[in-house]
Amino acid sequence: MSLCNRNLKMSAVVVVHGGAWAIPDDLAKASVDGVKAAACEGHSVLKRGGSALDAVEAAVRALEDNTVFNAGHGGTLNTEGEVELDAIIMDGRTLGNGAVSSAKNIAHPVTLARAVMEKTSHCMLTSRGANQFAESIGMATVPTETMVTEYERKEWEKHKNYVTGVMEDFNAQWAHDTVGAVAVDCSGNVACATSTGGIRNKMVGRVGDSPIIGSGGYADNLSGAVSCTGHGESILKVTLARLIISHIEQGKSVADSSQLSLQYMGNRVHGAGGAIVVSPSGQWAATFTTERMAWAAVDHDVLWFGLDPNQRSKEQLSN
Amino acid sequence: MLPAVVVHGGAGHIPKERAQNSTSGVSAAARAGYIVLKGGGSSMDAVVEAVTQLENNPSFNAGCGSVLNVKGEVEMDAFVMDWKTLATGAVSAVRDIANPTQLARLVMDKTSHACLTAEGAKQFARSMGVPEVPMESLITEYSRMRWRKNLAPDANPVECQMGKMGTVGAVAVDSEGVVACATSTGGMLNKMEGQVGDTPCIGQSSNIHGQIFPEGHSQAVMSILKLCQSAEAASDSALAYMKSRVDGLGGVVTVDPQGNWAARFSSRQMAWAAAQKDTLHYGLYTGEHFTQSIDEPH
C-alpha cells in the first residue's frame, strides 16, 4: 500500500468492463449496476492509498462474485457441462504477471492468478496444475452447482446441439461477458486484470485470449494498462492488448489507440470486441465495436458508465 | 530469395559434449523444411516438418527429450501460426503424444479455437486419431539426470534452465511469400505441474508483423517484444530490450515475406540453421556463421 498526498491522489483512476457483446435488455440494468459497483470497489482501494494492483483485483473480484457476468460465479459451461476459468493480472511497474487457464471451480480466478505471480516463479498455470496450486495455498474449490446459474444451464442446454463455438459470420451475437479492470494509482503505477469462463460450449480445455499476456491484457508503467473483451480467437490473432499499447508507445491517445486497434481486428480477422485503457497520467478510454459493452470508471470522484455506443452517463460520488 | 526456412534448437548454454548433436539436428531440420518448400509445399508445411524432426530428435527440449516437470513428468507446449490468415493453433501442458506441433496444427485446422490445454488437448488428440505414446518413450536419461539434479534444495533453477537444451522452433517463407512459424517445448526444467511458458502464447513465441520468434527464459520473453525495420535490427532491439527491462536472455529467429532472415541471441549459444538458395547456413556460438551447399552432408 502506498501513501500519497492530496495532489497525487488526483490521478488515480479505475475503469472496469463487464463484457462486449449484444447484451440483451433483460440483462442490461444488472450489467450496468454490476460494473458501477465494481468500479466503486476499485475506487475505494485507490482512495485509501491502495495500489493499482490491489484496485484491479478488488474490482474483478466483485465482478467474479456477480453471477450476471461470465467470470467466477456465473461462468459459462464447456461442452461437457463443466466450468473452466481463465484469468490474468499484470503489474505495470515490474511487468510481473500471473495467469491461470482452465482452472476448475475457483471462486476468484483473479486472486489465484495473483498468487501465481507472487508465490511462484512462473507466469501461468493450467488445468490440474492450477487447481493443485490453489489447494496448496488453501484456496477452496466451489461445487459446480454453486457456480452455475439457472440461466446459464438453460442456455447451455439450448446450444448443446449446435456446432461448438463456431465463429461464422459475425461473432458479436455470442455472449462475451468476460470481465476486466485497469487502474492507475496515486504513485503512477498501472495494472490490469481480466477474468472469464470463456465461451459457452467451448471444447474442453479451450483457452481464449483472457489469460494470455498481450492479448487479454497488458500493463506497463511506460505506456498504460489494457483489458480486452470480445471474440477471444480474434483478440489472440491480433494480440489486441499489445497492439493498443504499441499505438500508445507511438504517441497516440488512449482513445485513438483503442479505436484503431479494434478497427484493425474487425478488418483483418472480422472480430468484434472492446477494450478499457488507462495511461500512467490518468487518461482513460472505454471503446467497443460490438453492439454494447457494460463499463464504468471512477475519475476525480465522478462515476462514469455506459452500455450503448456513445453513451457516457455520470454520477457524482460523495466524498 | 524465396523460399527460406530458419530453425533453432534452443538458446542457452549447451554443454560441449552436446554441441555436435545440436548443430547436426538443426541442420537436418532446416534441410527437411527446405525440401518441403522446394517441392512446392507451404511455409506451414515446412515449419511443421522441421519442428517435427526436432521433436523426434532426443537432443532437444521438445517431444522426445523434453525436460521434466517437478513431478518427473513430460508436459509439452506447441504453437503454429499462418501469417496469411493469422490463423493460429496451440496446445499447452499436453501429455503422451510424440508431436505436439502437429496437434497444434490440428487445433488450427480442425477447430474454431486457438488453444487447447491439458486434458482437453489430449481428448482432442484422441478424437483426431493421434496415437498416444507412453510417457517413458519421451524421457531420456539426460532429462532425468537434470531433473534429479534440480531437485536438490540448493539447486539454482535459473542456472539450470540456461544449462538445458532449449525450446525449438522454425520460421519459413514459401515461394508465394507467405510466412509461418512453429514452436515446441517441454518447458522449464522442474517446472510446477501445469506451468505454461511463452511458447503457446501468441505474440510471445511469434509475432504478427514479420516473423519474430524469441526463445529463452520464458518469464522474461513473456513480458516484451518489439519491432524495428530489418529482421536483424528488430531481433537485436527486442533482445536488448528484454535484457535491459527484465534482465532476460534469449534468442530469436526471424524471416520476412521477402526472404530476409536473421538468427540472433543474447545467451551464450543458440543452435540454429537456415536454408535458402540451396545453401545451408548454421551456427552455435555468437558470431558463428558457417555455410555449405545444402546437398553436402553435414
Side-chain angles (χ1 to χ4, degrees):
Chain A
M1 184 145 138
S2 54
L3 297 173
C4 51
N5 61 35
R6 283 178 73 91
N7 288 339
L8 288 176
K9 261 188 196 155
M10 301 285 273
S11 68
V13 173
V14 61
V15 192
V16 314
H17 71 76
W21 61 295
I23 300 169
D25 290 339
D26 60 356
L27 292 180
K29 182 174 188 307
S31 300
V32 173
D33 287 345
V35 293
K36 284 163 80 177
C40 290
E41 275 291 326
H43 171 66
S44 311
V45 170
L46 293 173
K47 197 151 178 161
R48 55 178 189 261
S51 67
L53 203 61
D54 289 337
V56 299
E57 187 191 354
V60 170
R61 281 177 69 101
L63 296 164
E64 285 170 339
D65 281 334
N66 189 332
T67 56
V68 80
F69 301 109
N70 172 21
H73 283 85
T76 49
L77 299 172
N78 70 13
T79 195
E80 294 195 350
E82 306 161 317
V83 176
E84 288 183 304
L85 306 163
D86 308 330
I88 191 172
I89 192 164
M90 187 167 183
D91 180 348
R93 188 176 58 89
T94 59
L95 301 186
N97 53 93
V100 292
S101 62
S102 234
K104 289 196 159 118
N105 299 50
I106 300 283
H108 294 117
V110 70
T111 300
L112 186 57
R114 187 171 182 175
V116 171
M117 177 174 77
E118 293 175 342
K119 300 190 197 281
T120 80
S121 56
H122 298 322
C123 288
M124 182 193 264
L125 294 177
T126 189
S127 202
R128 194 171 63 190
N131 277 95
Q132 278 182 10
F133 172 61
E135 201 178 310
S136 77
I137 58 169
M139 192 177 280
T141 45
V142 180
T144 306
E145 313 82 69
T146 317
M147 301 208 75
V148 180
T149 61
E150 257 316 296
Y151 176 85
E152 174 53 34
R153 183 68 66 185
K154 286 202 182 90
E155 289 294 300
W156 177 76
E157 287 285 352
K158 215 163 68 177
H159 288 98
K160 224 168 47 158
N161 301 320
Y162 296 138
V163 176
T164 56
V166 171
M167 177 188 127
E168 245 125 29
D169 49 348
F170 207 47
N171 44 61
Q173 300 308 316
W174 290 88
H176 302 138
D177 43 350
T178 290
V179 304
V182 294
V184 57
D185 59 32
C186 59
S187 306
N189 296 314
V190 299
C192 74
T194 310
S195 179
T196 188
I199 52 178
R200 190 174 295 120
N201 274 27
K202 62 186 179 178
M203 289 173 72
V204 174
R206 176 261 187 187
V207 179
D209 68 296
S210 296
I212 306 298
I213 187 174
S215 291
Y218 198 81
D220 184 349
N221 271 13
L222 300 184
S223 27
V226 180
S227 169
C228 300
T229 173
H231 184 244
E233 281 73 9
S234 300
I235 292 171
L236 282 165
K237 287 179 181 183
V238 302
T239 56
L240 185 61
R242 196 63 184 83
L243 185 58
I244 294 172
I245 292 280
S246 320
H247 282 300
I248 297 173
E249 283 169 346
Q250 290 164 42
K252 300 189 186 79
S253 71
V254 291
D256 285 347
S257 301
S258 310
Q259 202 67 257
L260 283 164
S261 305
L262 285 164
Q263 270 165 19
Y264 175 74
M265 187 168 84
N267 296 334
R268 189 78 200 269
V269 297
H270 309 295
I276 51 173
V277 189
V278 73
S279 76
S281 61
Q283 309 298 310
W284 60 271
T287 318
F288 53 99
T289 50
T290 45
E291 273 182 46
R292 287 175 154 170
M293 181 174 85
W295 64 270
V298 181
D299 179 10
H300 290 77
D301 286 321
V302 175
L303 172 64
W304 299 88
F305 56 95
L307 181 70
D308 292 308
N310 303 317
Q311 178 198 355
R312 257 171 94 96
S313 309
K314 70 185 204 189
E315 283 170 21
Q316 185 70 39
L317 291 180
S318 45
N319 272 328
Chain B
M1 295 280 275
L2 305 182
V5 60
V6 195
V7 317
H8 76 77
H13 171 209
I14 301 158
K16 259 203 183 102
E17 63 274 13
R18 299 185 69 82
Q20 177 56 36
N21 285 342
S22 292
T23 47
S24 59
V26 293
S27 297
R31 264 204 198 88
Y34 193 66
I35 288 170
V36 169
L37 293 169
K38 288 283 275 195
S42 66
S43 51
M44 177 57 65
D45 291 336
V47 297
V48 172
E49 176 58 35
V51 176
T52 294
Q53 294 243 342
L54 296 169
E55 285 168 341
N56 292 341
N57 186 330
S59 302
F60 299 99
N61 176 17
C64 176
S66 284
V67 299
L68 308 183
N69 73 10
V70 71
K71 290 184 165 174
E73 302 159 336
V74 173
E75 288 183 304
M76 303 167 285
D77 308 331
F79 177 85
V80 296
M81 187 164 186
D82 179 343
W83 260 247
K84 201 171 181 181
T85 56
L86 299 189
T88 72
V91 290
S92 61
V94 70
R95 294 169 177 242
D96 310 326
I97 60 165
N99 299 111
T101 300
Q102 292 185 16
L103 186 62
R105 188 180 185 172
L106 286 170
V107 172
M108 179 176 76
D109 289 341
K110 308 273 185 199
T111 80
S112 56
H113 296 323
C115 179
L116 294 178
T117 190
E119 194 48 45
K122 202 165 166 191
Q123 275 182 28
F124 173 63
R126 239 176 257 130
S127 76
M128 290 283 111
V130 172
E132 193 166 316
V133 302
M135 190 179 286
E136 276 304 308
S137 67
L138 302 173
I139 300 178
T140 60
E141 261 318 299
Y142 185 71
S143 51
R144 191 162 265 132
M145 181 272 287
R146 292 212 67 89
W147 167 73
R148 235 179 260 123
K149 209 165 155 183
N150 211 22
L151 286 177
D154 58 347
N156 180 339
V158 175
E159 243 318 278
C160 289
Q161 297 314 327
M162 295 316 282
K164 70 167 173 64
M165 321 75 79
T167 292
V168 304
V171 295
V173 56
D174 57 31
S175 328
E176 295 178 10
V178 176
V179 293
C181 76
T183 334
S184 183
T185 187
M188 284 177 72
L189 191 53
N190 289 53
K191 62 187 179 178
M192 289 171 72
E193 180 172 346
Q195 185 260 349
V196 179
D198 65 301
T199 292
C201 299
I202 183 175
Q204 315 314 316
S205 69
S206 65
N207 184 288
I208 57 170
H209 298 293
Q211 287 282 295
I212 308 244
F213 196 91
E215 190 275 338
H217 193 253
S218 57
Q219 267 61 40
V221 174
M222 276 187 106
S223 292
I224 62 99
L225 196 57
K226 224 167 174 185
L227 274 183
C228 243
Q229 280 85 3
S230 77
E232 199 166 284
S235 309
D236 286 344
S237 171
L239 288 166
Y241 182 73
M242 187 164 81
K243 179 81 178 70
S244 72
R245 197 77 202 269
V246 295
D247 210 24
L249 300 179
V252 185
V253 295
T254 322
V255 77
D256 71 18
Q258 288 74 46
N260 300 301
W261 60 268
R264 313 291 290 168
F265 48 100
S266 50
S267 52
R268 200 184 300 194
Q269 293 133 315
M270 183 174 82
W272 65 271
Q276 183 180 52
K277 295 204 277 193
D278 292 334
T279 304
L280 179 72
H281 307 251
Y282 60 95
L284 180 63
Y285 293 92
T286 310
E288 276 183 352
H289 187 151
F290 301 112
T291 56
Q292 63 179 70
S293 159
I294 195 93
D295 299 313
E296 233 179 275
H298 184 75

CSV table of all heavy atoms in Angstrom, one decimal, chain B residues 164-183:
chain,number,residue,atom,x,y,z
B,164,LYS,N,20.1,-26.1,-19.9
B,164,LYS,CA,19.3,-27.1,-20.6
B,164,LYS,C,19.3,-26.9,-22.1
B,164,LYS,O,19.7,-25.9,-22.6
B,164,LYS,CB,17.9,-27.1,-20.1
B,164,LYS,CG,17.1,-25.9,-20.5
B,164,LYS,CD,15.6,-26.0,-20.3
B,164,LYS,CE,14.8,-24.8,-20.6
B,164,LYS,NZ,14.9,-24.4,-22.0
B,165,MET,N,18.8,-27.9,-22.8
B,165,MET,CA,18.5,-27.7,-24.2
B,165,MET,C,17.3,-26.8,-24.3
B,165,MET,O,16.4,-27.0,-23.4
B,165,MET,CB,18.2,-29.0,-24.9
B,165,MET,CG,19.1,-30.2,-24.4
B,165,MET,SD,18.7,-30.8,-22.8
B,165,MET,CE,17.3,-31.8,-23.2
B,166,GLY,N,17.2,-26.0,-25.2
B,166,GLY,CA,16.0,-25.0,-25.2
B,166,GLY,C,14.8,-25.5,-26.0
B,166,GLY,O,14.8,-26.6,-26.6
B,167,THR,N,13.9,-24.6,-26.1
B,167,THR,CA,12.7,-24.7,-26.9
B,167,THR,C,13.2,-24.8,-28.4
B,167,THR,O,14.3,-24.3,-28.7
B,167,THR,CB,11.9,-23.4,-26.8
B,167,THR,OG1,11.4,-23.4,-25.5
B,167,THR,CG2,10.8,-23.3,-27.8
B,168,VAL,N,12.4,-25.4,-29.2
B,168,VAL,CA,12.8,-25.5,-30.7
B,168,VAL,C,11.8,-24.7,-31.5
B,168,VAL,O,10.6,-24.4,-31.0
B,168,VAL,CB,12.9,-26.9,-31.2
B,168,VAL,CG1,13.8,-27.7,-30.3
B,168,VAL,CG2,11.5,-27.6,-31.2
B,169,GLY,N,12.2,-24.3,-32.7
B,169,GLY,CA,11.2,-23.6,-33.5
B,169,GLY,C,11.7,-23.4,-34.9
B,169,GLY,O,12.9,-23.6,-35.2
B,170,ALA,N,10.8,-23.0,-35.7
B,170,ALA,CA,11.1,-22.7,-37.1
B,170,ALA,C,10.2,-21.6,-37.7
B,170,ALA,O,9.1,-21.5,-37.3
B,170,ALA,CB,10.9,-24.0,-38.0
B,171,VAL,N,10.8,-20.8,-38.6
B,171,VAL,CA,10.1,-19.8,-39.3
B,171,VAL,C,10.4,-20.1,-40.8
B,171,VAL,O,11.5,-20.6,-41.1
B,171,VAL,CB,10.4,-18.4,-39.0
B,171,VAL,CG1,10.0,-18.1,-37.5
B,171,VAL,CG2,11.9,-18.1,-39.2
B,172,ALA,N,9.4,-19.8,-41.7
B,172,ALA,CA,9.7,-20.0,-43.1
B,172,ALA,C,8.9,-19.1,-43.9
B,172,ALA,O,7.8,-18.6,-43.5
B,172,ALA,CB,9.3,-21.5,-43.5
B,173,VAL,N,9.4,-18.8,-45.1
B,173,VAL,CA,8.6,-18.1,-46.1
B,173,VAL,C,8.7,-19.0,-47.4
B,173,VAL,O,9.7,-19.5,-47.8
B,173,VAL,CB,9.2,-16.7,-46.4
B,173,VAL,CG1,10.7,-16.7,-46.8
B,173,VAL,CG2,8.4,-16.0,-47.5
B,174,ASP,N,7.5,-19.2,-48.0
B,174,ASP,CA,7.4,-20.1,-49.2
B,174,ASP,C,7.5,-19.2,-50.5
B,174,ASP,O,7.7,-18.0,-50.4
B,174,ASP,CB,6.2,-20.9,-49.1
B,174,ASP,CG,4.9,-20.2,-49.1
B,174,ASP,OD1,4.8,-19.0,-49.6
B,174,ASP,OD2,3.9,-20.7,-48.4
B,175,SER,N,7.4,-19.9,-51.6
B,175,SER,CA,7.6,-19.3,-52.9
B,175,SER,C,6.6,-18.2,-53.2
B,175,SER,O,6.8,-17.4,-54.0
B,175,SER,CB,7.6,-20.3,-54.0
B,175,SER,OG,8.1,-21.5,-53.6
B,176,GLU,N,5.4,-18.3,-52.4
B,176,GLU,CA,4.4,-17.2,-52.6
B,176,GLU,C,4.6,-16.1,-51.7
B,176,GLU,O,3.7,-15.2,-51.6
B,176,GLU,CB,3.0,-17.9,-52.4
B,176,GLU,CG,2.7,-18.9,-53.5
B,176,GLU,CD,1.4,-19.6,-53.3
B,176,GLU,OE1,0.6,-19.1,-52.4
B,176,GLU,OE2,1.1,-20.6,-54.0
B,177,GLY,N,5.6,-16.1,-50.8
B,177,GLY,CA,5.8,-15.0,-49.9
B,177,GLY,C,5.0,-15.1,-48.7
B,177,GLY,O,4.9,-14.1,-47.9
B,178,VAL,N,4.4,-16.3,-48.4
B,178,VAL,CA,3.6,-16.4,-47.2
B,178,VAL,C,4.5,-17.0,-46.1
B,178,VAL,O,5.3,-17.9,-46.3
B,178,VAL,CB,2.5,-17.4,-47.4
B,178,VAL,CG1,1.7,-17.7,-46.1
B,178,VAL,CG2,1.6,-16.9,-48.5
B,179,VAL,N,4.5,-16.3,-44.9
B,179,VAL,CA,5.3,-16.7,-43.8
B,179,VAL,C,4.5,-17.5,-42.8
B,179,VAL,O,3.3,-17.4,-42.6
B,179,VAL,CB,6.0,-15.5,-43.1
B,179,VAL,CG1,7.0,-14.8,-44.0
B,179,VAL,CG2,4.9,-14.5,-42.7
B,180,ALA,N,5.2,-18.4,-42.0
B,180,ALA,CA,4.6,-19.2,-41.0
B,180,ALA,C,5.6,-19.5,-39.9
B,180,ALA,O,6.9,-19.3,-40.1
B,180,ALA,CB,4.1,-20.5,-41.5
B,181,CYS,N,5.2,-19.8,-38.7
B,181,CYS,CA,6.1,-20.2,-37.7
B,181,CYS,C,5.6,-21.3,-36.8
B,181,CYS,O,4.4,-21.6,-36.8
B,181,CYS,CB,6.4,-19.0,-36.8
B,181,CYS,SG,5.1,-18.7,-35.6
B,182,ALA,N,6.5,-22.0,-36.2
B,182,ALA,CA,6.1,-23.1,-35.3
B,182,ALA,C,7.1,-23.2,-34.1
B,182,ALA,O,8.3,-22.9,-34.3
B,182,ALA,CB,6.0,-24.4,-36.0
B,183,THR,N,6.6,-23.4,-32.9
B,183,THR,CA,7.4,-23.5,-31.7
B,183,THR,C,7.0,-24.7,-31.0
B,183,THR,O,5.8,-25.0,-30.9
B,183,THR,CB,7.3,-22.4,-30.8
B,183,THR,OG1,6.8,-21.2,-31.4
B,183,THR,CG2,8.5,-22.1,-30.0
